[in-house]
Amino acid sequence: MAPTYKIAIIQLHPKPMQIKFNYSRAASFIKDAASKGAHLAVLPEYHLTNWVPDDPQASNIYGQWEIYLNKYRALAKEQSICIVPGTIIERHEDPETKKQKLLNVAYFIDNKGEILGRYQKKNLWHPERPYLTSSTHEPHEVIETPIGPVGLLICWDLAFPEAFRELILAGAKIIIIPTFWTLSDCSPYGLAVNPRSEALFLESTSTARTFENTCAVVFVNAGGRVGPFKSNYAGMSRVAVPFLGALGDETKDSTEEGMSIVDLDMRHVEEAEANYKVRADLARKDWHYVYPRGEKMGHTKL
């Protein structure tokens, strides 16, 4: 019988460069999720700092990444809950050039506080490229976790089906995507045509990815202030599964800060594969699609 996991999707409103406040707020949500029996809590991209890389405090705050990673490890152990602490911007020194570089990294921490895997953002959104270093040609790797084989992606990775395919080919059943995506990420032309264009993008793409890969997609975005404020935050955090689409009543149609706890029934994933046989086709030795560089899209861990 396929297991069911309780997933807490935390649509945090990250205050710019207020790292202590944002961590405290995130920890409060995680403790609440643990008290409600959640197996996993997921936070958004940039949840500790927001995205203000030119702020005078940024370099110093980005240098504190390991302090907060260890805080999440201790919290996971204390609350006996797995945590994907969104992403944390890390400041490192390049060993060759001795210059400072910034990495945008997601971690999977188990309920004993151990780091089971990490992922450095590969597909950088255009405004991020002057600041962040991409993982470029490093492979997407599957992480064996207490909730099964997991793949980590970040925000703009959602737009690239190739990233999902690589993880699915390696055996991932759940893809977790911390995100910082706003409604104004669209061009002036697109906003004039449809002010909700980015919301349409997120809704359509997250649903498509779950069907075309027979996997669950845990999409967790930043939210805005609670109340009657005009928000630029897209929110819409959800767990998308085959047959049902988006789950997460408190956040999937909201732009405000909040948390949904979703029962993820992995039978939906197994039954989707039994019906669509996407993984089975990908595993065929005579499968006809290839990578752009000519490498065969074929693994056996499906």
Side-chain angles (χ1 to χ4, degrees):
M1 184 176 178
T4 296
Y5 301 113
K6 283 189 178 295
I7 313 293
I9 46 180
I10 301 170
Q11 190 163 283
L12 195 76
H13 174 53
K15 295 190 174 183
M17 289 296 149
Q18 295 190 33
I19 191 168
K20 292 181 180 179
F21 175 87
N22 292 330
Y23 172 77
S24 177
R25 188 74 177 139
S28 178
F29 274 115
I30 291 170
K31 290 176 182 178
D32 185 29
S35 74
K36 294 174 179 173
H39 299 97
L40 169 68
V42 184
L43 289 156
E45 183 183 28
Y46 301 143
H47 75 282
L48 287 173
T49 57
N50 206 298
W51 175 245
V52 280
D54 290 322
D55 188 285
Q57 305 175 74
S59 180
N60 177 58
I61 288 177
Y62 295 156
Q64 299 176 40
W65 67 270
E66 199 165 12
I67 294 172
Y68 285 89
L69 177 60
N70 287 330
K71 283 178 177 285
Y72 280 118
R73 293 183 64 186
L75 183 61
K77 183 176 181 179
E78 173 193 288
Q79 297 295 317
S80 190
I81 186 173
C82 298
I83 302 174
V84 174
T87 71
I88 301 174
I89 302 179
E90 303 179 3
R91 191 188 73 203
H92 294 269
E93 183 180 271
D94 189 297
E96 295 181 1
T97 66
K98 304 303 180 182
K99 292 182 178 180
Q100 299 295 310
K101 62 179 182 179
L102 299 178
L103 313 180
N104 189 18
V105 183
Y107 290 87
F108 193 104
I109 303 169
D110 74 7
N111 58 341
K112 298 177 182 177
E114 297 298 319
I115 296 172
L116 300 186
R118 70 186 288 280
Y119 167 65
Q120 179 186 340
K121 189 173 185 179
K122 187 178 300 296
N123 295 295
L124 302 179
W125 181 231
H126 310 288
E128 295 173 327
R129 296 177 189 181
Y131 304 95
L132 299 178
T133 298
S134 166
S135 60
T136 60
H137 300 300
E138 292 180 14
H140 291 282
E141 296 182 344
V142 172
I143 305 165
E144 296 299 331
T145 80
I147 64 168
V150 163
L152 295 175
L153 296 175
I154 300 170
C155 199
W156 188 231
D157 288 330
L158 178 67
F160 294 87
E162 300 87 347
F164 287 78
R165 277 290 194 255
E166 190 169 336
L167 287 167
I168 295 305
L169 285 164
K173 299 288 182 74
I174 302 172
I175 310 295
I176 300 171
I177 315 176
T179 301
F180 188 91
W181 200 307
T182 70
L183 297 175
S184 62
D185 284 327
C186 192
S187 68
Y189 174 85
L191 290 171
V193 172
N194 178 8
R196 296 282 296 171
S197 176
E198 295 306 291
L200 178 62
F201 188 124
L202 297 178
E203 182 174 31
S204 303
T205 311
S206 61
T207 301
R209 296 290 177 263
T210 193
F211 276 97
E212 69 193 9
N213 294 293
T214 59
C215 69
V217 174
V218 180
F219 172 86
V220 183
N221 198 9
R225 296 165 63 190
V226 176
F229 307 103
K230 184 177 180 180
S231 178
N232 191 40
Y233 290 90
M236 300 178 64
S237 300
R238 61 198 46 215
V239 177
V241 294
F243 305 122
L244 292 174
L247 306 175
D249 289 345
E250 287 76 16
T251 55
K252 68 184 178 72
D253 298 315
S254 172
T255 62
E256 296 182 354
E257 181 179 80
M259 179 174 72
S260 296
I261 297 181
V262 173
D263 287 326
L264 172 55
D265 186 346
M266 293 303 292
R267 184 177 178 184
H268 299 319
V269 171
E270 303 303 334
E271 291 288 342
E273 174 56 25
N275 186 64
Y276 302 119
K277 297 180 172 55
V278 171
R279 296 165 186 264
D281 275 340
L282 293 173
R284 284 167 41 193
K285 291 184 179 180
D286 64 342
W287 191 236
H288 36 270
Y289 288 112
V290 296
Y291 284 119
R293 294 186 299 278
E295 299 168 6
K296 185 71 176 176
M297 290 183 74
H299 294 249
T300 56
K301 289 180 66 178
L302 297 173

